[in-house]
Amino acid sequence: MGRNGSALGPTQNESGQCGSIWIEHLTIMHKENPVSDHPTQSTGRLRHRKRTNEFSFQVLADAPKSDGSHFLINDQNKYKSMLVRTYSSIWMIGGFIVIIYMGHLYIWAMVVVIQIFMARELFNLLRRANEDRQLPGFRLLNWHFFFTAMLFTYGRFLSQHLVNTITTDKLLYRLVSWIVKYQMFICYFLYTSGFVWFILTLKKKMYKYQFSQYAWTHMILLTVFAQSSFTVANIFEGIFWLLLPASLIAINDIAAYFFGFFFGRTPLIKLSPKKTWEGFIGASITTIISAFVLANIFGRFQWLTCPRRDLSTGWLSCDPGPMFKPEIYSLPEWVPRWIPYKETSVMSVQWHALVLGLFASIIAPFGGFFASGFKRAFKLKDFGDSIPGHGGITDRMDCQMVMAVFAYIYYQSFLMPENLSIETILNQILRNLTLEEQHLLYSQLGKILEERQFLQS
């Protein structure tokens, strides 16, 4: 008889021996209740024994919890996962800071590398090794469409920056102008060649697999490039418009993880069982405060606020505009007197940063929920294993891509200056006029200026 008055229940001191006790108990039960030859009796006894065994194994499973060992094992795995995730996050953040310091071209190269990894992870989702072995070279077709889409997306966007970079070289300027002029035709020719390639590789009994891959490839290209193009546009409008939104998503993700890790109790959404309301609310408050503070810090550096109009790597110097110039605000009277500062400087862009922070904390996480539902549909834990503790590149970029699109649209809609600047006019001239037309414009503009000077004198 145990101390708790039960003949079967082990005491706390006997918890280490509870496994052997229960095994002996189940063996005795099995000997005392042999299987009857009569079907009805056998069935009844089997059901009785099944219920008894289920009860016994349930108690056996719950027995180690009495000394806390069950939770200790889970906690060890939990903290180990957190350490791995933290270690890889530090490396990613450090590498991102270095690339930001190196400049616009290197950031754009980073975006291209991320796109390649994302495309590889998504291409592999519906890949079947058996079918691929019967279709040699079919996998190469996916990458043909990928690089065609890259040329189409970035060719038109970067053409004006490329022209501004090489205007001093006459031969190179003509070559680049020719490429810019016929860029759409080149892309269409490459796409149609891939289309013909696909038709010629169609194989009997493989039609369904090949057409599903064809459709899946186009969905990937639409998802990856339609959103990543906005990211590159943000880079050349000023690194600020890439760095701030990306930082807010990272802060929101990290804060949600730690708040949920230590305080999470209430599930947030069924698509993501590990997400909790405590993590969501804590991350939202942290992200909005961080947006206001980081906008003030990033807005002080011309390297981050000046737009890049060419593809050089030189240091930038410009007038950042009124949006990045601090204004002095007096603190209200209800502020405690023991605070030494009675005035504070706030940039106009900080108020806009609050909108970005609100979007990053409320709407952008739904990009992660969408990815979670997508992975559940394909019965996947992660899109890949490129980043220890985080999964694949796609797992980290789901919310970033949604945020990049919003940052671009918000900037173009509410913050982009409406008046045409000298740089914008020069870009249009260099991009759309030939060298002879530019000389003609130069001579005519010179005559107009001479006539105005004569009339004023």
Side-chain angles (χ1 to χ4, degrees):
M1 183 74 69
R3 294 181 185 178
N4 57 0
S6 173
L8 301 178
T11 63
Q12 276 189 329
N13 296 332
E14 295 166 347
S15 60
Q17 301 175 357
C18 67
S20 59
I21 294 175
W22 278 109
I23 291 174
E24 293 177 5
H25 172 67
L26 294 176
T27 304
I28 295 172
M29 287 180 58
H30 177 71
K31 292 181 179 179
E32 293 178 351
N33 297 281
V35 179
S36 173
D37 295 330
H38 195 278
T40 306
Q41 294 180 357
S42 175
T43 304
R45 290 180 179 178
L46 283 173
R47 290 178 180 173
H48 175 72
R49 184 162 62 252
K50 183 177 180 180
R51 289 195 299 269
T52 306
N53 291 349
E54 288 176 352
F55 172 77
S56 302
F57 281 117
Q58 181 65 35
V59 177
L60 179 62
D62 294 340
K65 295 182 182 179
S66 60
D67 60 351
S69 60
H70 178 73
F71 296 109
L72 181 60
I73 294 174
N74 287 342
D75 287 346
Q76 288 176 349
N77 294 331
K78 191 176 180 180
Y79 281 100
K80 182 179 179 181
S81 174
M82 183 186 71
L83 290 175
V84 172
R85 187 184 180 98
T86 303
Y87 183 75
S88 57
S89 298
I90 293 173
W91 275 101
M92 284 192 298
I93 294 173
F96 182 71
I97 293 175
V98 172
I99 294 175
I100 290 294
Y101 178 79
M102 294 175 69
H104 302 69
L105 284 182
Y106 295 94
I107 302 173
W108 175 44
M110 177 191 68
V111 172
V112 173
V113 172
I114 290 174
Q115 286 180 327
I116 294 174
F117 275 92
M118 289 179 62
R120 188 190 67 172
E121 293 173 357
L122 294 173
F123 284 152
N124 290 335
L125 284 183
L126 298 183
R127 184 176 180 179
R128 299 176 186 173
N130 186 34
E131 284 80 353
D132 286 346
R133 282 194 295 267
Q134 302 179 42
L135 299 169
F138 184 74
R139 187 59 49 184
L140 186 62
L141 184 61
N142 292 339
W143 293 106
H144 171 82
F145 284 122
F146 177 84
F147 286 106
T148 300
M150 181 179 292
L151 179 62
F152 177 79
T153 302
Y154 295 139
R156 293 183 62 81
F157 173 76
L158 296 176
S159 58
Q160 58 180 344
H161 300 82
L162 186 60
V163 169
N164 294 344
T165 306
I166 49 85
T167 50
T168 56
D169 192 317
K170 185 176 181 180
L171 179 61
L172 187 59
Y173 173 79
R174 288 183 176 180
L175 177 61
V176 171
S177 299
W178 182 86
I179 294 175
V180 170
K181 183 177 181 180
Y182 298 105
Q183 183 251 351
M184 289 189 66
F185 178 80
I186 295 172
C187 293
Y188 184 74
F189 175 78
L190 291 175
Y191 179 82
T192 52
S193 64
F195 176 74
V196 173
W197 181 2
F198 169 75
I199 297 299
L200 294 177
T201 57
L202 288 175
K203 191 174 181 180
K204 191 175 181 180
K205 297 182 180 181
M206 304 288 291
Y207 296 151
K208 185 176 181 180
Y209 175 73
Q210 288 181 279
F211 275 98
S212 64
Q213 286 290 312
Y214 185 81
W216 179 239
T217 299
H218 283 70
M219 288 181 62
I220 293 173
L221 299 181
L222 179 64
T223 302
V224 173
F225 283 104
Q227 300 185 54
S228 298
S229 59
F230 294 103
T231 304
V232 178
N234 291 337
I235 294 171
F236 287 90
E237 290 295 343
I239 299 178
F240 178 92
W241 301 108
L242 167 80
L243 182 59
L244 180 63
S247 300
L248 295 181
I249 291 295
I251 290 173
N252 184 264
D253 187 46
I254 295 172
Y257 178 78
F258 278 99
F259 275 100
F261 185 90
F262 291 105
F263 308 106
R265 294 293 183 273
T266 311
L268 175 63
I269 187 170
K270 292 182 179 180
L271 285 174
S272 225
K274 294 184 180 179
K275 304 292 185 181
T276 61
W277 275 105
E278 291 80 4
F280 181 80
I281 296 174
S284 298
I285 298 173
T286 305
T287 303
I288 293 173
I289 295 175
S290 300
F292 192 79
V293 175
L294 289 179
N296 186 282
I297 297 174
F298 296 158
R300 298 175 183 272
F301 299 93
Q302 291 188 5
W303 178 244
L304 301 179
T305 57
C306 291
R308 172 69 73 182
R309 301 304 181 190
D310 53 30
L311 299 182
S312 64
T313 57
W315 196 259
L316 289 173
S317 178
C318 69
D319 181 8
M323 190 164 46
F324 294 99
K325 293 180 179 179
E327 298 179 5
I328 304 300
Y329 291 89
S330 300
L331 296 180
E333 297 180 355
W334 52 264
V335 176
R337 295 183 178 180
W338 52 266
I339 295 180
Y341 303 100
K342 301 302 179 183
E343 296 180 339
T344 182
S345 62
V346 178
M347 298 181 181
S348 176
V349 73
Q350 289 182 255
W351 306 115
H352 296 285
L354 292 177
V355 179
L356 297 179
L358 192 64
F359 185 90
S361 58
I362 297 179
I363 306 299
F366 280 85
F369 301 151
F370 176 84
S372 298
F374 190 87
K375 287 184 286 187
R376 283 180 173 272
F378 287 91
K379 299 180 180 180
L380 299 171
K381 180 182 179 183
D382 296 308
F383 285 103
D385 55 357
S386 304
I387 309 174
H390 293 266
I393 296 291
T394 310
D395 294 284
R396 294 275 59 85
M397 294 304 299
D398 43 17
C399 300
Q400 290 284 3
M401 298 178 73
V402 176
M403 188 67 195
V405 176
F406 176 76
Y408 175 82
I409 294 175
Y410 186 84
Y411 176 80
Q412 295 292 329
S413 301
F414 302 104
L415 302 178
M416 182 98 175
E418 295 183 0
N419 58 328
L420 293 176
S421 64
I422 297 177
E423 292 182 348
T424 303
I425 298 174
L426 287 176
N427 287 335
Q428 294 294 327
I429 293 173
L430 294 173
R431 182 178 179 184
N432 299 316
L433 299 181
T434 63
L435 192 60
E436 291 76 13
E437 292 173 338
Q438 292 175 22
H439 279 294
L440 180 60
L441 176 64
Y442 175 76
S443 61
Q444 291 181 351
L445 186 60
K447 291 180 181 179
I448 294 174
L449 292 176
E450 288 178 358
E451 292 175 359
R452 288 186 176 182
Q453 288 178 354
F454 177 76
L455 292 175
Q456 289 179 355
S457 62

